[in-house]
Amino acid sequence: MTVSRRRKRVTRLLSALAVFGALTFAIGAQTKITAPKNRFSLDDDVKLGRDASGQVVKELPLLGDQRVETYVEGVGVTLAGAIPPEFRHPPFRYTFDVINQKEINAFALPGGPMYLNRGMIAASKVEGEVAGVMAHEISHVALRHGTAQATAARTFQLIDLLGQIGGALAGGTLGSVIAQGTSFTAGTAFLTYSREYESQADILGAQILARAGYNPRDMANMFKTIEAEGGSRGPQWLSSHPNPGNRYEAINREAGMLRVQGNANSGDFESIQARLRGMSPAYTAEQIAKGQAKGGTQTISTASRTPVRVTPPATQYRSSRPFPFLRLNLPSNWMEVAGGDTGVTYAPEGGYRADQGALQGFTHGVQVGVAPRGSGNLQRDTDQLVVAFAKSNPDLRRQGGYSRETVGGRAGLRTSLSNRSDITGQPEAISLTTTLLGDGRLLFLIGVAPQREAETYENAFRRVRQSVQLSDR
Ligand SMILES: [Zn+2]
């Protein structure tokens, strides 16, 4: 008797689970995707992508800007981490590079290498739109559409596919074919997808976006932007990623079934766009095809030497993460004007001077930096830092002593200094705040403003300081 009663309870429990399961399914329903048939091995994908990317890197001008690369990589790694388990392939390696090209385009090679044109980032309105294009490209790779296409075309041998890459090279280099987007031949077949594959990449892309913490609707918006900017011939992205029909509706319908998990926005999108705007213009497809483009480090244009009216700190703030362990809020009109391993500077338009990509100085804004490990005593190390600053700022003077202030929940010190700006020749007010990091290095925040605007800026500096969040221990 006991047995049957137990059995009955089990049955009841199972049916309760079934009902619960059905409800969950109804709420969280999302389109189920099945990767197309593929006769190639995962290693074939990897080999194909590696060979083609070798050509791409040789022929297309990479932007070669550390901050932009780090930013794009950050978005890409977040997305790759959100690929559903059934579409993860251990030998695949997702990499993300930026090409210094004006036209809106992006492409991914089998096995994971992805390339984004600078024009694509520039045309996006929010980070989610950049992420949208990347999630779509990642989906083609994860679903192995390149080699699936060759499977359907009955090109079963890897050697045939490699031969087709060779064919593309014979008809003009692979890079220039990709750059121009005109003469797509069999050689770039793995970059030109059918409408069916496009639908799949849109849907899986939407699912990856939601899992990663981006709004899938941003992807639909970006595709609209791409179509709008097309002109008569349409941008090349569309020639390799044809609209399968009702594209926005399909993506938005899928989005309605998905729950966006958290918020992946880095908060750095606007400063990255500002950084791109400050660089010399991107190359056109024509220049690249003619071999006039050179990859490498771009220079940030020199800030005007004539006095510029600098807009006061915005009352709206945005979040930024200058270091992996540090998050803070900044007036929304301050952009990141220089960065490196030891410091990042945020300044408004006209509030800094840069030459050949290197920051010469700034008259308005904040610098966040880390000084090498010193004695481990907060006040002694801060004294040392002031001495170091004075070496490049001979007019730097202390205005009174230290006051205690909490920075990111830790004991910190604050002091005021005066200086004469070597950019304007005018007196300036400097506000220095420091605290010790878990590893004993000194974290510092320097606020700089002309003396006569010191009060306005001190309010902004205080808000920046109070927003600091540290996660290094
Ligand atoms: Zn596509």
Side-chain angles (χ1 to χ4, degrees):
M1 293 297 111
T2 333
V3 174
S4 80
R5 208 163 57 215
R6 191 181 286 157
R7 196 177 279 157
K8 203 169 184 182
R9 269 176 54 197
V10 167
T11 316
R12 224 179 262 155
L13 186 63
L14 279 176
S15 57
L17 274 176
V19 170
F20 184 67
L23 280 175
T24 317
F25 184 71
I27 296 162
Q30 55 173 51
T31 307
K32 189 173 153 43
I33 296 165
T34 311
K37 202 168 87 177
N38 201 313
R39 290 180 187 253
F40 292 87
S41 71
L42 291 171
D43 289 338
D44 287 342
D45 279 48
V46 172
K47 178 164 171 42
L48 257 176
R50 202 190 296 130
D51 284 14
S53 78
Q55 292 299 328
V56 167
V57 174
K58 242 184 264 169
E59 296 164 19
L60 295 181
L62 294 182
L63 184 66
D65 181 273
Q66 191 69 48
R67 293 301 295 184
V68 177
E69 298 271 326
T70 306
Y71 170 77
V72 169
E73 214 170 84
V75 176
V77 167
T78 303
L79 293 169
I83 299 172
E86 64 268 35
F87 300 124
R88 286 192 195 166
H89 310 295
F92 284 18
R93 215 179 132 249
Y94 291 90
T95 58
F96 310 91
D97 280 296
V98 180
I99 296 169
N100 193 13
Q101 187 177 343
K102 184 169 171 286
E103 288 82 8
I104 297 180
N105 199 21
F107 59 93
L109 300 169
M114 187 189 296
Y115 299 89
L116 271 133
N117 278 11
R118 179 179 154 187
M120 175 70 84
I121 304 170
S124 302
K125 294 187 191 74
V126 292
E127 182 169 297
E129 297 194 357
V130 177
V133 171
M134 293 174 78
H136 176 99
E137 297 291 344
I138 284 177
S139 300
H140 280 307
V141 175
L143 294 165
R144 307 182 59 213
H145 281 161
T147 42
Q149 203 138 256
T151 302
R154 303 190 175 280
T155 310
F156 292 149
Q157 301 297 316
L158 181 66
I159 191 93
D160 292 340
L161 269 186
L162 290 172
Q164 287 179 5
I165 297 177
L169 292 174
T173 58
L174 177 65
S176 74
V177 167
I178 290 170
Q180 293 177 88
T182 45
S183 52
F184 272 98
T185 62
T188 49
F190 57 82
L191 295 175
T192 310
Y193 304 104
S194 69
R195 287 181 164 71
E196 185 198 339
Y197 290 178
E198 279 311 294
S199 299
Q200 278 202 331
D202 285 354
I203 299 302
L204 182 58
Q207 294 173 0
I208 289 174
L209 285 167
R211 287 168 60 96
Y214 288 105
N215 187 344
R217 290 183 170 87
D218 287 341
M219 176 167 65
N221 291 339
M222 185 61 194
F223 291 163
K224 268 190 185 159
T225 304
I226 292 173
E227 282 197 351
E229 299 218 352
S232 56
R233 255 185 47 230
Q236 92 198 70
W237 193 85
L238 280 177
S239 61
S240 38
H241 302 268
N243 187 334
N246 296 324
R247 179 165 236 167
Y248 323 112
E249 294 78 1
I251 294 169
N252 287 330
R253 196 183 320 120
E254 187 71 19
M257 295 188 275
L258 299 167
R259 197 170 56 84
V260 178
Q261 294 175 18
N263 181 0
N265 273 287
S266 69
D268 294 332
F269 175 70
E270 274 160 27
S271 72
I272 289 297
Q273 276 200 325
R275 188 175 177 83
L276 291 176
R277 279 195 299 274
M279 294 176 183
S280 40
Y283 297 108
T284 62
E286 201 186 341
Q287 288 174 311
I288 294 170
K290 285 182 181 160
Q292 295 166 346
K294 283 191 176 57
T297 312
Q298 284 294 300
T299 55
I300 305 254
S301 64
T302 305
S304 169
R305 267 153 214 275
T306 51
V308 203
R309 213 188 83 79
V310 176
T311 320
T315 48
Q316 285 233 333
Y317 278 63
R318 65 176 181 86
S319 166
S320 182
R321 200 167 72 170
F323 302 109
F325 56 83
L326 173 67
R327 212 170 238 297
L328 41 65
N329 296 335
L330 301 149
S332 58
N333 64 327
W334 293 5
M335 54 202 168
E336 189 181 315
V337 291
D341 293 340
T342 54
V344 179
T345 305
Y346 300 91
E349 198 82 52
Y352 65 100
R353 178 181 290 173
D355 192 21
Q356 300 290 310
L359 182 75
Q360 307 294 301
F362 65 112
T363 55
H364 303 69
V366 158
Q367 187 175 66
V368 191
V370 178
R373 206 189 150 91
S375 68
N377 174 296
L378 178 58
Q379 183 163 340
R380 209 174 303 149
D381 291 350
T382 307
D383 285 340
Q384 281 303 310
L385 185 70
V386 173
V387 170
F389 285 148
K391 280 183 185 151
S392 43
N393 294 279
D395 295 319
L396 191 72
R397 299 283 179 277
R398 265 245 166 75
Q399 305 288 309
Y402 291 112
S403 56
R404 294 185 186 284
E405 189 166 308
T406 309
V407 180
R410 293 175 197 174
L413 289 178
R414 200 185 88 72
T415 187
S416 298
L417 304 109
S418 67
N419 190 33
R420 182 170 295 278
S421 166
D422 63 352
I423 296 175
T424 62
Q426 299 298 312
E428 60 187 7
I430 292 172
S431 163
L432 171 68
T433 309
T434 54
T435 190
L436 286 172
L437 294 172
D439 61 6
R441 292 181 303 161
L442 191 70
L443 173 76
F444 62 86
L445 279 91
I446 320 165
V448 176
Q451 188 63 58
R452 60 193 145 73
E453 295 171 69
E455 218 166 291
T456 312
Y457 276 81
E458 180 50 33
N459 284 330
F461 298 154
R462 191 182 312 116
R463 272 189 75 170
V464 173
R465 295 198 300 267
Q466 288 173 350
S467 72
V468 167
Q469 288 176 43
L470 292 166
S471 58
D472 61 314
R473 63 180 185 202

